[in-house]
Amino acid sequence: GAGVSQSPSNKVTEKGKDVELRCDPISGHTALYWYRQSLGQGLEFLIYFQGNSAPDKSGLPSDRFSAERTGGSVSTLTIQRTQQEDSAVYLCASSFGRGTEAFFGQGTRLTVV
Amino acid sequence: GDSVTQMEGPVTLSEEAFLTINCTYTATGYPSLFWYVQYPGEGLQLLLKATKADDKGSNKGFEATYRKETTSFHLEKGSVQVSDSAVYFCALSDQANTGNQFYFGTGTSLTVIP
């Protein structure tokens, strides 16, 4: 597609359930980022993928969070045993790599009830 | 490590006023600098960029100049409009970093009143 695509756009889940968020980056982009944005807050870095290199997972807030990127393209962010504090907008972005601008998807709004 | 420090908001201006949002950075390498804008209920959009010292990025009447001597990338607009109301994020991408190389400021909320 022309831009970064994220699905679902909205997700409501019960506390304790697992959720999967999907990101389709722009074709040809080697770098992919996940961020979290809580209501009225800034961007919290979660994880960064660059090509075939080991991902930078330094931003993942707990071991309930994991992400993978298959075939250097689509990425899935998984949150296990969701908690209410996980409620936020999860943003995905992609770029051609270091020094280049990142393009963002519209985000997935996750609500844990 | 790398970081971006951005002027705290919120900022409220009257239409046609002059806007400055300050941004300074710390980087180990030679970063590219960006301003992103987030309109209410929407995702982040790239507003402008500069890739080397003394470059000026511009778009939609907004400008920012990459100042290496002061490590700054302040956003300016001569005459704001109500439609400019949004949250503005300063960011850098550092080619020197082996890990995550995209860093964002905390964002500055701008409200323009008629």
Side-chain angles (χ1 to χ4, degrees):
Chain A
V4 177
S5 178
Q6 291 187 247
S7 60
S9 54
N10 282 284
K11 176 72 177 179
V12 179
T13 190
E14 292 181 352
K15 178 182 173 181
K17 300 282 191 182
D18 298 352
V19 294
E20 286 189 351
L21 312 180
R22 178 186 168 101
C23 173
D24 278 278
I26 292 172
S27 178
H29 278 187
T30 58
L32 187 147
Y33 316 78
W34 283 98
Y35 291 88
R36 179 167 70 175
Q37 187 174 32
S38 300
L39 186 63
Q41 302 300 308
L43 296 171
E44 176 186 6
F45 166 72
L46 297 177
I47 189 168
Y48 162 64
F49 296 91
Q50 173 61 56
N52 295 320
S53 302
D56 179 349
K57 304 179 182 181
S58 61
L60 295 178
S62 77
D63 59 8
R64 296 187 296 105
F65 289 72
S66 63
E68 63 177 18
R69 188 178 184 192
T70 53
S73 181
V74 173
S75 176
T76 302
L77 177 69
T78 301
I79 309 173
Q80 296 178 311
R81 305 181 302 281
T82 52
Q83 304 295 314
Q84 287 187 329
E85 61 262 29
D86 299 334
S87 296
V89 176
Y90 289 81
L91 294 168
C92 176
S94 69
S95 77
F96 281 115
R98 301 187 180 93
T100 65
E101 61 265 38
F103 294 85
F104 282 80
Q106 291 299 301
T108 294
R109 181 176 298 279
L110 175 66
T111 304
V112 182
V113 298
Chain B
D2 292 13
S3 66
V4 176
T5 302
Q6 194 174 333
M7 184 175 94
E8 291 191 16
V11 174
T12 302
L13 294 174
S14 297
E15 204 165 23
E16 299 184 2
F18 184 85
L19 169 71
T20 300
I21 300 178
N22 290 337
C23 172
T24 58
Y25 68 89
T26 302
T28 53
Y30 302 94
S32 298
L33 301 173
F34 309 91
W35 277 100
Y36 284 82
V37 58
Q38 187 175 32
Y39 297 104
E42 299 187 11
L44 271 77
Q45 303 173 25
L46 178 68
L47 180 60
L48 54 83
K49 67 177 181 180
T51 58
K52 61 183 187 297
D54 301 325
D55 270 1
K56 177 184 284 187
S58 60
N59 186 25
K60 299 181 180 180
F62 290 89
E63 293 183 339
T65 301
Y66 188 163
R67 302 285 189 200
K68 189 175 180 181
E69 63 275 15
T70 54
T71 61
S72 65
F73 192 55
H74 304 322
L75 182 68
E76 297 182 336
K77 186 174 186 182
S79 176
V80 293
Q81 306 300 311
V82 172
S83 57
D84 295 326
S85 298
V87 180
Y88 293 82
F89 293 91
C90 184
L92 72 80
S93 176
D94 191 345
Q95 299 187 47
N97 288 352
T98 55
N100 175 44
Q101 43 78 31
F102 228 105
Y103 297 86
F104 285 87
T106 53
T108 300
S109 175
L110 170 67
T111 301
V112 180
I113 56 177

